[in-house]
Amino acid sequence: MSNPHPLHVAIALVLAAGAATLPLHAQTPGPSPDGSALADPVDLDTLEVRAQLESQMRAIDFKRASDAIQDTVASDSMGQYPDKNVGESLSRLPGISVTRDQGEGRFVVVRGLDAAFNSVSVDGVAIGTPEDSSRAAPLDVIPSDSTERLTVVKAPTPDMPGDAIGGAILVESASAFDRKGRDIRARADMSHQSLSGETSPKAAFNYSDRFADDAFGVALGVSHQDRTYESDNIEVEYDKVDARDGLTPIEIQQRKYSINRERTGVNLNLDWRPGDGHSYYLRTLYTDFTDAETRQNSIIPVGEGDITTNTDGTYTVNGIDPNDFSRRVRFRTKEEDTFTVSAGGENRFGAGSAVDYKLGFTKTRERVLDEVEARFDYDGAGDVSIEMDTSRPIPRYTISDSPAGGWLDNDNYQFNRFVVAPIWVDDEEYSAQANFTFAGDFVIWKAGLLGRWRDRNVDIDENELRRGPDINLGSWTTGAPRYTHGDMGDGISSSAMNSYLRDRLSEYSARPQDVAANTEVSLIEDYVASEDVLAGYLMATMDFDRLRVIAGARVERTEFEATGNVVDLADEETIGAISTREVSSSYTSVLPGLHLRYDMDDWVVRGAYTTTIARPSFGSISPRTRINRDEEEVELGNPALDPYRSRNLDISIERYLGETGIVSAGLFYKNIDDYIVDVTTRDNPEYQGFDVTMPVNGDKATVYGAELNWQQHFASGLLLGFSATWLDTEYTLDGRSFTLPNASDRLYSAYLGYETGGLSTRLAAVRRSEYIDSVDSSDSDFDIWVAENTQLDFSLDYKVDDRWGVYLEASNLLDEPLELYQGSPAQTLQNELYGRTYTAGVKLRF
């Protein structure tokens, strides 16, 4: 008999647990998911607890009190999380993974669904994204020191926004009423990356206090990190070549990144609670993220010669023109900042009746004003040959040229072009909401209205400048970089390039034959858009002894308008016409929901049926049109796209182990209609005879999943935790079935901690299985996969006394690379290494 699928085993466990006889438990009120009326903070002063246990207790308390199906990561009394990065802290939760950028968690994936399927809010106000075409909000731009709680709601109640097929990620900053009396905290540390040898500082300061007989509260937080590090990357492009079976490397790129990232966060929160059930607040958060990156890369053109297969399975490529070899250096500074502010209050009237309200504003922007790449071609004396060995996933190669090793010497390269690519993205949203609660004899009624008014402006330019003075690349030479994947030869100084261009960039221009392509690229991705959402809901909460029933429906009306560009190329060097295209669309989404919660002594059983949506990405609905008459190809945006619509079922069983532990199991199912895919046809009536590629609403996608979670504290001081998620996802395209992009079918996390006296240690691991990144609808050999990965981190914290302590951290201990492959693991597409990072710091509290 074959081994059972882990998902089937988990289903059996959940059903068995549900059939058990369960003791009774009194119900506790929960926090409002939008943060407008949070429950009082957990009082832990009567217990002798330390950092990890305190954080765990806070998270368990919020989970137990909630009506929605959710998980929380809470800071400890020193304002720390298990991880420094917001996204990576969330990845410890069941069903959560992250996609990484330069080794740092950036986008959060909930239950295997793309990050664009999540809604992200800060203190109840939805935030935008600096991404030019996606709706995914990056979470690496928010310093964790500026937050108090991180929550992922996996099955939202009707009083929450409906754009949460993946989940609703709630980021909450600290209020003075989360703490007792005056609270001053500070921390500073230095981190060292093994790959670069660089050491980087970080500091944070938090202050809160209450005044006027605890009626008025102030909370202030400031943090700053300045991190310098490196990564080593090798990328291989494959194709099918007539001379060989299977996939053959046709290009290899050596890439070395040198990165400086600065993060600054400032939050100021004011609260006024005059009594008699009235409260008012102001929440502000500003974050600034600056990413200065140099990329040096060498391009090895394996596919440009004649291939001969050798008897030992290796092969030789002869007759490569040296001019096909290229060296490049790119520099850019990406600045992303986010500002959110909200003001509101709550007024309670009698027993159970209340009104709460909020005005919000959020602004997110990205600026890349200095991106430039310099490209140079190898000026060798004769043809080049390459010996290739593809017996390993990363091909090994030996290059024979004249002079020997000349391709590694900057003096042998001649100028090809500069590529200048500035980016401007602005995303603003105003919002207003009000919620009304009325307690009847048997039913608590809640109704609300929400308005969101969003504007986006995206301007992406790119110009190739090939005409101008020759440049001696040797004059930009710096020391040879340390590179894990081989010999990169001479280094190229981006500072020397920038110094040169400050005085002489104006001397370079486009060739006449490049003007059309430059114009096309600089116009086709630009758009201006507005999106207005008006929503209302009605929800009833009923208690039948131990059973709570929440039933209701939400209606969201979306109005979208945009202006983009239409570029018609008569041929590759001639623009036939340029015009603008204005579009508008609207749709109404009705989103019913039902939640059940059965609460007993140490058990909580939850069930939910929800309907949610995800609006199409801005890249898909922007009204862009690219017409290439030479190739008879057209690329279109599609503003008429309908949103993704999902019907979701969830059930979970939770067993609470006193105040410090939990065992839970859950099952979930999602049926997503109108899944959007890119389709190419030749029957578009507006473009007869052209291959027209356009995103369209296609068939449905399905997600089946199971989650298990266990966390426990033992009297000895030992803390153990383990979670696992199994997914089975599918959608169909052109007759082929695929798993959903970014959907690992297995996610595991575990930690082992120990706390005694002032000592707290933790070893934590997160492992995800492989997932598909992009799909080729006609040939699976060209599917791109992201290989499995395990992240292992260690931390040690020692509290010297009540006022100060020290800590040590080690991250990425296994030094596993980010690895992508094409078709099968035998063909590595990308392998990127980041090295280990070690941190030492001190923290204070007064």
Side-chain angles (χ1 to χ4, degrees):
M1 179 180 295
S2 61
N3 293 327
H5 192 282
L7 181 55
H8 301 158
V9 176
I11 291 173
L13 290 173
V14 173
L15 295 177
T21 302
L22 307 180
L24 306 181
H25 176 60
Q27 186 144 334
T28 57
S32 171
D34 67 1
S36 59
L38 290 171
D40 289 335
V42 186
D43 186 356
L44 300 173
D45 287 357
T46 59
L47 298 175
E48 184 66 26
V49 294
R50 291 296 180 259
Q52 295 181 64
L53 178 58
E54 185 170 354
S55 175
Q56 179 174 311
M57 292 174 67
R58 292 179 187 274
I60 289 174
D61 180 81
F62 274 92
K63 180 176 178 64
R64 184 169 188 168
S66 70
D67 286 326
I69 295 176
Q70 67 179 50
D71 290 290
T72 296
V73 181
S75 67
D76 63 24
S77 62
M78 295 296 290
Q80 288 186 246
Y81 291 91
D83 305 271
K84 290 185 179 181
N85 180 282
V86 166
E88 291 170 2
S89 290
L90 288 170
S91 72
R92 308 290 181 185
L93 297 176
I96 310 299
S97 61
V98 293
T99 60
R100 297 180 180 271
D101 174 52
Q102 291 297 345
E104 298 183 342
R106 183 167 175 82
F107 296 108
V108 172
V109 177
V110 180
R111 290 177 166 178
L113 294 171
D114 191 278
F117 285 11
N118 302 327
S119 64
V120 179
S121 65
V122 174
D123 294 320
V125 176
I127 64 171
T129 173
E131 303 295 307
D132 56 87
S133 62
S134 172
R135 289 183 181 268
L139 291 182
D140 59 342
V141 301
I142 302 176
S144 59
D145 297 281
S146 299
T147 65
E148 182 76 8
R149 277 175 299 275
L150 310 170
T151 299
V152 178
V153 180
K154 299 174 180 177
T157 48
D159 57 343
M160 300 183 65
D163 53 343
I165 292 181
I169 299 173
L170 314 181
V171 179
E172 299 174 61
S173 56
S175 160
F177 290 93
D178 289 321
R179 300 159 187 170
K180 288 194 172 182
R182 177 172 295 175
D183 189 279
I184 301 175
R185 311 171 185 180
R187 55 185 296 200
D189 63 50
M190 300 293 287
S191 62
H192 178 83
Q193 191 210 24
S194 61
L195 187 64
S196 65
E198 296 283 352
T199 301
S200 305
K202 180 180 179 181
F205 173 81
N206 287 272
Y207 163 84
S208 65
D209 203 353
R210 301 187 198 179
F211 307 92
D213 295 327
D214 283 349
F216 184 74
V218 178
L220 170 69
V222 181
S223 66
H224 181 73
Q225 180 186 38
D226 185 348
R227 185 183 179 210
T228 300
Y229 64 108
E230 295 179 353
S231 65
D232 289 350
N233 173 292
I234 188 167
E235 298 191 9
V236 186
E237 182 181 349
Y238 298 87
D239 204 348
K240 293 184 176 179
V241 179
D242 292 340
R244 303 185 76 243
D245 294 330
L247 292 172
T248 298
I250 61 170
E251 183 178 277
I252 297 173
Q253 288 203 32
Q254 302 172 325
R255 295 188 173 193
K256 179 74 177 184
Y257 292 88
S258 300
I259 305 144
N260 176 260
R261 287 185 170 177
E262 292 189 46
R263 290 182 178 87
T264 301
V266 181
N267 63 282
L268 174 63
N269 295 339
L270 306 178
D271 288 90
W272 182 38
R273 298 186 179 181
D276 297 326
H278 304 301
S279 62
Y280 308 92
Y281 61 87
L282 175 71
R283 301 279 184 266
T284 64
L285 175 66
Y286 173 77
T287 68
D288 180 81
F289 173 77
T290 302
D291 181 9
E293 179 182 284
T294 294
R295 183 186 73 193
Q296 176 181 335
N297 63 311
S298 300
I299 298 177
I300 302 168
V302 183
E304 296 299 324
D306 300 320
I307 296 176
T308 301
T309 302
N310 303 320
T311 56
D312 59 359
T314 63
Y315 63 95
T316 303
V317 183
N318 292 308
I320 302 175
D321 187 334
N323 200 241
D324 291 326
F325 283 76
S326 177
R327 307 208 89 190
R328 301 178 181 180
V329 58
R330 186 194 73 173
F331 178 82
R332 62 112 175 97
T333 305
K334 178 168 65 176
E335 298 180 2
E336 296 179 347
D337 56 68
T338 300
F339 174 68
T340 67
V341 58
S342 59
E346 181 179 47
N347 305 107
R348 295 185 177 274
F349 309 98
S353 297
V355 57
D356 65 82
Y357 37 87
K358 179 183 299 182
L359 296 175
F361 171 74
T362 179
K363 181 174 182 176
T364 305
R365 70 170 196 164
E366 177 179 275
R367 295 290 184 270
V368 184
L369 304 181
D370 59 356
E371 178 166 328
V372 60
E373 181 178 69
R375 301 180 182 179
F376 298 83
D377 296 334
Y378 180 32
D379 188 21
D383 288 348
V384 180
S385 63
I386 302 176
E387 297 287 334
M388 290 290 301
D389 181 356
T390 57
S391 60
R392 299 180 183 180
I394 300 178
R396 290 172 292 174
Y397 51 90
T398 302
I399 298 174
S400 299
D401 61 342
S402 178
W407 72 284
L408 298 170
D409 188 341
N410 284 344
D411 286 323
N412 294 326
Y413 282 79
Q414 59 184 3
F415 174 72
N416 177 279
R417 74 191 76 174
F418 288 117
V419 181
V420 180
I423 297 174
W424 297 263
V425 178
D426 288 285
D427 191 314
E428 292 185 357
E429 180 173 295
Y430 294 88
S431 62
Q433 57 182 294
N435 301 283
F436 307 90
T437 303
F438 174 75
D441 292 336
F442 302 102
V443 181
I444 297 176
W445 294 97
K446 189 175 182 181
L449 297 172
L450 168 68
R452 296 169 55 187
W453 299 272
R454 185 175 188 176
D455 292 300
R456 279 179 67 84
N457 190 335
V458 175
D459 186 351
I460 301 175
D461 290 346
E462 182 174 304
N463 286 284
E464 295 192 354
L465 312 176
R466 304 197 197 195
R467 300 178 66 180
D470 289 335
I471 300 170
N472 176 14
L473 181 57
S475 65
W476 296 356
T477 297
T478 186
R482 293 187 299 174
Y483 181 65
T484 308
H485 299 294
D487 187 356
M488 289 195 72
D490 290 339
I492 306 175
S493 170
S494 62
S495 61
M497 175 185 70
N498 291 335
S499 177
Y500 177 87
L501 291 176
R502 272 192 293 271
D503 299 325
R504 306 195 62 179
L505 181 59
S506 60
E507 299 178 28
Y508 292 86
S509 61
R511 301 179 307 176
Q513 61 266 41
D514 294 333
V515 171
N518 286 347
T519 303
E520 178 197 30
V521 173
S522 294
L523 290 176
I524 202 63
E525 303 297 339
D526 298 351
Y527 65 89
V528 177
S530 65
E531 183 178 77
D532 300 337
V533 177
L534 297 177
Y537 71 90
L538 179 63
M539 184 176 82
T541 300
M542 298 160 282
D543 288 331
F544 303 93
D545 195 11
R546 308 178 185 95
L547 176 66
R548 170 167 287 188
V549 178
I550 300 175
R554 185 178 188 88
V555 179
E556 296 194 356
R557 175 69 175 177
T558 303
E559 303 277 352
F560 178 80
E561 295 181 354
T563 300
N565 296 309
V566 179
V567 181
D568 188 342
L569 290 180
D571 54 52
E572 294 298 329
E573 298 180 6
T574 308
I575 291 180
I578 297 174
S579 60
T580 59
R581 180 186 177 198
E582 298 181 359
V583 298
S584 62
S585 63
S586 61
Y587 50 86
T588 301
S589 305
V590 180
L591 310 172
L594 175 66
H595 291 252
L596 306 175
R597 168 180 162 151
Y598 198 72
D599 198 350
M600 296 162 288
D601 281 345
D602 297 311
W603 296 79
V604 176
V605 180
R606 306 176 194 267
Y609 168 78
T610 57
T611 49
T612 49
I613 63 171
R615 295 179 176 88
S617 71
F618 289 105
S620 295
I621 58 176
S622 63
R624 69 185 191 280
T625 302
R626 176 189 284 118
I627 305 170
N628 188 323
R629 297 193 178 276
D630 270 358
E631 302 295 331
E632 295 187 339
E633 294 176 347
V634 175
E635 294 181 18
L636 295 174
N638 185 2
L641 286 171
D642 291 324
Y644 304 82
R645 305 172 191 270
S646 182
R647 291 163 290 165
N648 319 294
L649 290 172
D650 289 82
I651 182 172
S652 70
I653 301 173
E654 303 156 11
R655 171 74 160 90
Y656 290 90
L657 309 173
E659 295 182 291
T660 62
I662 184 176
V663 178
S664 64
L667 300 174
F668 56 90
Y669 166 73
K670 296 180 182 292
N671 188 317
I672 307 172
D673 292 324
D674 294 325
Y675 202 87
I676 296 172
V677 295
D678 288 332
V679 173
T680 301
T681 65
R682 291 189 66 86
D683 56 3
N684 189 302
E686 294 186 33
Y687 303 101
Q688 291 288 341
F690 283 73
D691 289 327
V692 179
T693 300
M694 182 175 66
V696 299
N697 291 112
D699 294 333
K700 70 177 182 180
T702 57
V703 179
Y704 297 86
E707 296 174 347
L708 296 177
N709 183 36
W710 168 56
Q711 300 177 57
Q712 191 164 4
H713 170 257
F714 297 90
S716 63
L718 184 69
L719 294 99
L720 292 176
F722 172 78
S723 71
T725 302
W726 296 277
L727 293 173
D728 184 0
T729 67
E730 182 181 60
Y731 80 101
T732 302
L733 175 63
D734 293 340
R736 287 182 60 200
S737 294
F738 305 94
T739 59
L740 292 177
N742 298 324
S744 297
D745 60 9
R746 298 180 306 281
L747 296 170
Y748 304 105
S749 67
Y751 67 85
L752 170 65
Y754 181 72
E755 293 185 322
T756 182
L759 179 67
S760 176
T761 64
R762 180 185 182 96
L763 184 67
V766 177
R767 180 172 179 80
R768 58 155 182 78
S769 63
E770 64 186 9
Y771 63 82
I772 198 165
D773 183 65
S774 63
V775 172
D776 187 290
S777 60
S778 59
D779 191 341
S780 61
D781 283 341
F782 293 90
D783 294 344
I784 306 302
W785 291 80
V786 178
E788 62 186 8
N789 182 269
T790 301
Q791 177 90 7
L792 182 66
D793 304 319
F794 173 78
S795 63
L796 184 150
D797 185 293
Y798 184 69
K799 186 176 180 181
V800 178
D801 59 30
D802 290 339
R803 297 207 166 187
W804 74 285
V806 295
Y807 57 92
L808 299 172
E809 297 173 351
S811 59
N812 195 29
L813 285 172
L814 300 180
D815 196 16
E816 286 199 7
L818 170 66
E819 186 169 8
L820 283 72
Y821 62 83
Q822 180 177 321
S824 81
Q827 284 94 33
T828 292
L829 182 78
Q830 175 179 331
N831 184 291
E832 189 165 82
L833 289 164
Y834 310 107
R836 301 172 179 86
T837 299
Y838 306 96
T839 302
V842 60
K843 55 186 179 180
L844 307 171
R845 184 179 184 183
F846 301 97

